[in-house]
Amino acid sequence: MTIFIIPLILYFFCHYPLKKIIPFLKDKSFVDKPSSRGNHKELIPKGGGIIIIPCLIISFLLYSYLETTVTNKWNIFLVSILLLFVVSLIDDIKNLSAKIRLSVHFFCVLLSVYFLKPDIIFFINNHNLVIFEKIDINILYFFLSFITVVIWLWIINLFNFMDGMDGLITTQMIFLSLLTNFLALFSLIDEQFQFLSLVVLSLFLAFIKYNRPKAQIFLGDSGSISCGYIAGFILIDSFLSLGPFISFLIIILYFLLDSSITLIKRIYKKENLFVAHSDHFYQRMLRKGYSHEEVLKKISILWIILLFLSILALKAKYIALLLAILITSIILLYFKIKSKNE
């Protein structure tokens, strides 16, 4: 019952502080200022994460107190979320250097992966790949740990990259939490993930009222970085536990493809990867004159399709994944054509 009561209370509780913090942040000039690469022409407060992330942390602390099944990896999850939130909030205020930000991201991910050691060993011992039988388990452990760290860091930062349009990350988190809760209801993932998904769903259903087009407030780095960490945690845990990994991969496929293709293009053009840009597919649509609402509706329709494909993946994972890649690629191609020729 705790799993459902806390998120329900959270949904109604969050509305008031979110409503009150908007004028407060404006008064304190804690705003996202319009720029040549930006997608807004007005000063918009960027502190949504100040409400969202502490509420998530407090909710999970309460859940940990009431339940006895919370493991060390979940405790480290909370510590990492808190550290990422604090440093990202400082970055929102003072613009920290990329070196400091990435160092903190690396530390949090490394710490998390260290406490995932039992899961990594489980994956090695229970996977059917023949090559695993020919390599020393310690070498495999360090190799998989390295790959996990790199992928998790990428997911954290791509969520930050994609935080450039009204309601985009908010809607992604809603669909991710819907899928997570659905899978937990059928005992395909741990119960703790059901609680996490319900908390995330409650928070972002409350937040979308103020973040949807035309947005009154943004998440800021304090919110988007934490969202990336949460998405990475869910994806990686499902992979290591031999769970519904493909389903989770499908639901965040738009973010993965948009960011990865954009990164590859920037590397090919030898651009500075640490310099802010507006080359994502959705950003090019906005620059061409399409409204935030128009673009978000198109991506939301894609997410509805991806949600159904994520469920289909439980029975036919490779067919569902191929269909998801194909449909998402068509949307990206559509965005490219429209932003160029319209």
Side-chain angles (χ1 to χ4, degrees):
M1 188 63 70
T2 303
I3 285 180
F4 301 100
I5 292 176
I6 295 176
L8 184 62
I9 294 172
L10 200 60
Y11 171 75
F12 292 103
F13 170 79
C14 275
H15 280 284
Y16 183 76
L18 282 170
K19 183 178 180 180
K20 291 299 181 181
I21 200 173
I22 294 172
F24 173 80
L25 293 174
K26 283 184 177 179
D27 290 342
K28 300 299 180 181
S29 297
F30 192 57
V31 294
D32 188 62
K33 298 177 182 178
S35 65
S36 57
R37 67 171 189 86
N39 302 307
H40 299 85
K41 298 179 180 179
E42 301 176 7
L43 297 173
I44 308 292
K46 57 178 180 178
I50 297 173
I51 303 297
I52 298 294
I53 304 307
C55 283
L56 185 149
I57 293 171
I58 293 169
S59 299
F60 226 97
L61 286 173
L62 181 59
Y63 175 77
S64 300
Y65 175 76
L66 296 173
E67 300 290 333
T68 58
T69 56
V70 178
T71 60
N72 277 337
K73 74 178 180 183
W74 285 97
N75 293 327
I76 296 303
F77 166 82
L78 289 178
V79 171
S80 298
I81 284 283
L82 177 60
L83 183 56
L84 288 170
F85 165 73
V86 171
V87 173
S88 299
L89 180 59
I90 294 172
D91 181 45
D92 279 334
I93 298 170
K94 295 186 176 181
N95 291 322
L96 297 175
S97 69
K99 184 182 294 184
I100 294 175
R101 297 197 310 269
L102 291 175
S103 295
V104 174
H105 298 173
F106 178 75
F107 172 78
C108 290
V109 169
L110 194 64
L111 182 66
S112 301
V113 171
Y114 175 79
F115 279 89
L116 284 175
K117 183 175 182 178
D119 302 75
I120 297 173
I121 298 299
F122 171 84
F123 176 84
I124 294 171
N125 291 333
N126 290 275
H127 212 283
N128 296 323
L129 290 177
V130 177
I131 191 173
F132 279 18
E133 300 173 1
K134 301 179 181 181
I135 303 175
D136 181 79
I137 191 171
N138 292 315
I139 296 175
L140 280 173
Y141 169 71
F142 283 109
F143 174 74
L144 285 173
S145 296
F146 173 77
I147 296 298
T148 301
V149 168
V150 171
I151 292 173
W152 206 338
L153 282 172
W154 173 233
I155 294 173
I156 287 173
N157 283 280
L158 76 82
F159 265 71
N160 191 33
F161 299 155
M162 298 297 286
D163 187 26
M165 191 182 88
D166 297 355
L168 190 61
I169 282 190
T170 303
T171 310
Q172 170 68 94
M173 294 303 291
I174 288 172
F175 276 96
L176 175 60
S177 60
L178 285 172
L179 175 65
T180 305
N181 189 52
F182 175 84
L183 297 174
L185 285 172
F186 290 92
S187 301
L188 297 172
I189 53 177
D190 293 341
E191 185 182 83
Q192 289 90 345
F193 282 103
Q194 183 175 28
F195 180 75
L196 175 63
S197 69
L198 289 172
V199 168
V200 170
L201 182 62
S202 298
L203 289 169
F204 282 96
L205 283 177
F207 185 62
I208 199 168
K209 178 180 179 181
Y210 306 99
N211 184 239
R212 67 190 178 191
K214 184 178 180 181
Q216 301 174 55
I217 187 172
F218 299 149
L219 270 176
D221 285 358
S222 62
S224 62
I225 292 294
S226 301
C227 286
Y229 177 85
I230 293 169
F233 181 65
I234 294 171
L235 188 71
I236 288 164
D237 187 89
S238 68
F239 177 74
L240 295 177
S241 63
L242 304 180
F245 167 72
I246 298 297
S247 295
F248 287 120
L249 185 65
I250 288 171
I251 203 63
I252 65 169
L253 195 59
Y254 174 75
F255 270 32
L256 286 171
L257 288 184
D258 189 320
S259 293
S260 298
I261 292 171
T262 302
L263 177 68
I264 292 169
K265 286 165 61 179
R266 298 192 73 209
I267 291 173
Y268 178 76
K269 294 178 181 179
K270 298 180 179 179
E271 296 178 1
N272 187 341
L273 301 182
F274 296 103
V275 174
H277 65 92
S278 57
D279 294 333
H280 288 283
F281 288 85
Y282 75 90
Q283 289 175 318
R284 291 164 62 182
M285 286 285 284
L286 295 175
R287 289 206 314 271
K288 198 65 181 180
Y290 290 91
S291 70
H292 290 249
E293 185 175 8
E294 288 176 307
V295 180
L296 184 60
K297 281 182 179 179
K298 290 176 173 59
I299 299 175
S300 295
I301 291 171
L302 171 64
W303 272 321
I304 293 171
I305 297 170
L306 293 180
L307 181 61
F308 281 107
L309 290 174
S310 296
I311 297 170
L312 174 64
L314 298 174
K315 293 294 184 181
K317 58 184 177 182
Y318 295 118
I319 292 174
L321 179 60
L322 287 173
L323 285 172
I325 292 172
L326 176 62
I327 294 169
T328 305
S329 298
I330 289 172
I331 290 294
L332 293 176
L333 180 61
Y334 170 81
F335 281 180
K336 180 179 179 181
I337 293 171
K338 282 293 184 178
S339 61
K340 183 180 292 185
N341 298 331
E342 195 66 26

